[in-house]
Amino acid sequence: MFTWIEWLADRLIFGLLGLAPDTHLGEALHFFVYDTVKILLLLFLITFIMGIVNAYFPVERLRSFLQRNRLFGLEYLLASIFGAVTPFCSCSSVPLFIGFVRGGIPIGVTFAFLITSPLVNEVALALFLGMFGLETTLIYAGSGILLGAVGGWVLGRLGVERYLSDWVQKMAEQPVLTGDFEENGQTFRQRLPGITQEALSIVRGVLLYVIVGIGIGAAMHGYVPEGFFEQYLGGGQWWTVPLAVILAVPMYANAAGIVPVIQVFVAKGIPLGTAIAFMMGTIGLSLPEATLLKKVMTMKLILIFFGVVTTFIILSGLLFNLIL
């Protein structure tokens, strides 16, 4: 799907600029161009699709259902499972987060999706299955879904809605384009320009945060010394799991990009639980993600969100090291 973007980045960085692929600068710039184009495209497409969903799907019915029925936590699990089947990275999950908030979905349920979406997807599961076997893959998938559900429940109980950014709160107060096409006498073609304009508006609103976030990730991607992580994470002591999560925060990668790295970590003696904790931190708890989330959350909410997710990732890594 994104082969043409990689071709474009190759031609621009290695062709037009003449940088070598094996240099730090060439690798960092290639990463920056490729991921910037890919994520901005995904941001627009996802926001556009959410606009169509909001226009046709009666989100208020779902909200009413969640408010009227006691599901005994099942709503968090369902949102987490939905996050697992959507192949989006942490940055491209943000438009869906905005769509959930605008649709009136409870904030804890929304966070359950946001946590799980980048952690577990079919690409990561396929790579895990081929590299580590069925048992490890099932444990990883189950723990990722459980992490999202429990993390969403905790954040929901903390009542963090008031810490959403003013931008998102104003969007939530605006009328959502719901399934009233027939009542308004408008066809899909007539509503399409408005949906497109709304998608472009959201992309423009987060553009700077995307560029800054990917720039940080590109610098880390191109300039982190080879063997750095193996030196500090290979001992197997309990504190290597929290350290792995801390080291992962400045990084930026999606599941497909980081799973092969985890295989190398394990091959060089890093315990699997420590490696998975690093992977979860890289995918779902990155500094670039924090810069993007700054557009939709206040700093206090980002710190709460990161604190809760960090705690559960560390517990998952320690558990992995005990049972695997």
Side-chain angles (χ1 to χ4, degrees):
M1 179 179 179
F2 300 112
T3 305
W4 67 271
I5 302 178
E6 186 168 6
W7 177 87
L8 177 65
D10 289 343
R11 293 297 180 272
L12 178 62
I13 303 303
F14 306 139
L16 184 62
L17 296 182
L19 297 175
D22 56 351
T23 61
H24 293 306
L25 181 59
E27 188 176 356
L29 287 178
H30 185 277
F31 181 94
F32 178 79
V33 171
Y34 176 80
D35 269 58
T36 299
V37 175
K38 181 185 73 173
I39 288 176
L40 288 178
L41 179 62
L42 282 172
L43 279 170
F44 174 76
L45 289 176
I46 295 167
T47 308
F48 180 78
I49 292 171
M50 283 304 299
I52 296 175
V53 171
N54 284 334
Y56 276 106
F57 181 72
V59 181
E60 66 279 1
R61 260 188 222 171
L62 177 58
R63 178 184 58 199
S64 177
F65 174 80
L66 292 174
Q67 291 172 343
R68 287 197 320 266
N69 296 273
R70 284 181 58 84
L71 300 180
F72 303 100
L74 185 60
E75 65 272 27
Y76 298 98
L77 181 60
L78 291 175
S80 188
I81 292 173
F82 178 63
V85 299
T86 52
F88 305 132
C89 67
S90 55
C91 293
S92 54
S93 298
V94 172
L96 282 173
F97 177 86
I98 296 171
F100 281 18
V101 172
R102 291 200 64 194
I105 304 301
I107 193 68
V109 177
T110 301
F111 270 116
F113 165 83
L114 184 65
I115 294 170
T116 309
S117 181
L119 291 181
V120 184
N121 59 63
E122 67 272 18
V123 176
L125 294 179
L127 291 172
F128 246 77
L129 185 62
M131 295 177 182
F132 302 113
L134 180 61
E135 181 182 0
T136 302
T137 301
L138 291 176
I139 293 174
Y140 164 69
S143 65
I145 292 172
L146 185 62
L147 172 65
V150 176
W153 179 82
V154 171
L155 289 165
R157 298 287 290 180
L158 291 176
V160 295
E161 293 91 341
R162 61 188 182 277
Y163 299 129
L164 292 169
S165 71
D166 292 338
W167 183 66
V168 171
Q169 292 193 35
K170 288 178 182 178
M171 289 184 67
E173 294 170 358
Q174 296 173 358
V176 181
L177 297 174
T178 57
D180 293 329
F181 276 66
E182 296 80 6
E183 295 180 14
N184 296 333
Q186 289 184 311
T187 65
F188 174 72
R189 180 176 294 181
Q190 290 172 325
R191 291 295 290 272
L192 189 59
I195 295 172
T196 304
Q197 186 59 41
E198 185 176 12
L200 289 172
S201 175
I202 292 176
V203 172
R204 284 195 297 267
V206 300
L207 177 61
L208 178 61
Y209 296 88
V210 171
I211 292 175
V212 171
I214 297 175
I216 295 171
M220 296 299 299
H221 184 81
Y223 288 93
V224 172
E226 186 176 356
F228 174 82
F229 296 108
E230 292 88 337
Q231 179 181 354
Y232 294 100
L233 302 180
Q237 299 89 342
W238 70 268
W239 49 264
T240 59
V241 175
L243 178 60
V245 178
I246 293 171
L247 291 175
V249 170
M251 303 295 289
Y252 173 81
N254 57 27
I258 198 65
V259 170
V261 177
I262 298 307
Q263 184 186 31
V264 174
F265 280 12
V266 173
K268 293 188 176 183
I270 295 178
L272 183 57
T274 306
I276 291 177
F278 176 84
M279 183 189 74
M280 285 184 167
T282 302
I283 299 171
L285 199 68
S286 63
L287 183 59
E289 180 188 9
T291 64
L292 182 58
L293 290 176
K294 187 65 176 66
K295 185 64 180 179
V296 297
M297 304 178 190
T298 62
M299 183 56 67
K300 187 169 185 177
L301 179 52
I302 292 175
L303 292 175
I304 293 172
F305 172 64
F306 270 41
V308 170
V309 177
T310 297
T311 300
F312 284 110
I313 288 177
I314 290 173
L315 291 175
S316 297
L318 292 172
L319 180 61
F320 278 139
N321 281 344
L322 287 175
I323 65 178
L324 293 179

